[in-house]
């Protein structure tokens, strides 16, 4: 298992290989960033968007959280980390595209489906519950159709993408830029078991890329 010492050894390899090989790129990036794409992904250690999309530093602006969720535009509620990152990417960096990336075997989705942290105190699962409860409506629909088995898990994993895309459009800066043609939203889903990326179409359905 990787520990902090392993991370330091990894840094030393990076410093003598990748950093040296792309020295000009890093020098350029030290002056600023201008990514064209924002990716909203899960914090899960298995789904690093930079690796999945094979990007180099400076190409994507990424925010990661439990179950790749975007909260709706709200003034209260205390869930503004994603909102701040979104605001920065869209209004300051002026990215042209935002991708919501869901994935298979998502622990956040499993928690939402099982409601295992329902009623838990903050610090003992309550923060998790208050985050994944954004999926409560979708969960109700999924459970009524699939129950709580493997099909339900996959269905709710896909719903995280649809829910986040709907919530994105509650931010005034999003629809106005979509209407102007300066911003596009995309949904995608990475199936860890087979390594296949599925892309969402305009009707909300997913198909392999």
């Amino acid at each position: 298992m990787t520990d902090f010492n392993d991370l330091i050894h990894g840094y030393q390899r990076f410093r003598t290989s990748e950093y040296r090989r792309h020295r000009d790129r890093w020098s350029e990036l030290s002056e600023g960033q201008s990514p064209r794409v924002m990716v909203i992904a899960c914090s899960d250690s298995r789904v690093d968007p930079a690796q999945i999309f094979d990007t180099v530093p400076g190409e994507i602006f990424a925010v990661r959280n439990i179950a790749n969720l975007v909260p709706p535009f709200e003034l209260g509620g205390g869930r503004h980390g994603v909102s701040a990152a979104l605001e920065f990417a869209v209004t300051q960096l002026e990215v042209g595209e935002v991708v919501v990336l869901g994935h298979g075997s998502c622990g956040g989705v499993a928690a939402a489906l099982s409601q295992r942290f329902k009623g838990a105190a903050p610090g003992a699962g309550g923060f998790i519950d208050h985050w994944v409860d954004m999926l409560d409506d979708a969960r109700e629909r999924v459970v009524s159709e699939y129950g709580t088995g493997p099909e339900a898990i996959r269905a709710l994993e896909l719903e995280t993408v649809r829910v986040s895309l709907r919530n994105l459009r509650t931010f005034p800066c999003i629809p106005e830029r979509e209407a102007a043609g300066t911003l596009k939203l995309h949904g995608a889903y990475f199936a860890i078991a087979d390594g296949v990326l599925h892309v969402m179409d305009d009707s909300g359905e997913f198909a392999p890329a």
Side-chain angles (χ1 to χ4, degrees):
M1 295 293 289
T2 300
D3 58 20
F4 186 66
N5 286 332
D6 293 324
L7 296 181
I8 296 301
H9 292 320
Y11 156 73
Q12 291 166 345
R13 292 192 301 273
F14 160 77
R15 188 82 171 101
T16 58
S17 57
E18 289 299 309
Y19 184 83
R20 185 172 296 174
R21 188 157 45 244
H22 299 289
R23 186 67 186 87
D24 291 342
R25 174 73 172 171
W26 284 104
S27 179
E28 178 185 336
L29 289 173
S30 71
E31 302 298 323
Q33 60 171 326
S34 55
R36 300 304 305 141
V37 180
M38 177 186 192
V39 178
I40 300 168
C42 186
S43 298
D44 194 298
S45 61
R46 300 162 293 179
V47 286
D48 179 359
Q51 184 175 34
I52 292 170
F53 295 118
D54 193 25
T55 63
V56 297
E59 286 191 315
I60 62 173
F61 184 86
V63 60
R64 300 176 68 178
N65 61 58
I66 299 300
N68 44 269
L69 290 171
V70 175
F73 182 86
E74 57 186 358
L75 300 181
R79 299 186 292 204
H80 301 303
V82 176
S83 305
L86 177 66
E87 189 174 69
F88 185 77
V90 173
T91 70
Q92 304 304 303
L93 296 176
E94 297 184 324
V95 298
E97 298 177 283
V98 176
V99 180
V100 177
L101 177 65
H103 72 95
S105 305
C106 181
V109 167
L113 190 63
S114 68
Q115 296 190 319
R116 60 177 293 199
F117 297 114
K118 203 70 172 176
F127 289 131
I128 300 170
D129 178 54
H130 184 48
W131 185 253
V132 299
D133 66 10
M134 283 187 273
L135 293 172
D136 280 356
D137 289 344
R139 178 193 181 275
E140 187 174 323
R141 294 193 303 273
V142 166
V143 170
S144 67
E145 183 172 356
Y146 299 104
T148 57
E151 284 187 316
I153 293 174
R154 174 66 176 255
L156 194 54
E157 287 169 350
L158 297 178
E159 280 296 317
T160 67
V161 179
R162 299 186 185 107
V163 167
S164 289
L165 288 171
R166 283 196 295 272
N167 286 347
L168 277 171
R169 292 189 169 101
T170 66
F171 288 78
C173 63
I174 300 294
E176 67 184 23
R177 283 168 171 76
E178 284 189 293
T182 58
L183 181 67
K184 293 181 180 179
L185 304 187
H186 305 279
Y189 173 88
F190 181 70
I192 294 175
D194 56 16
V196 175
L197 181 75
H198 300 255
V199 176
M200 195 184 90
D201 63 22
D202 292 339
S203 68
E205 297 303 313
F206 289 80

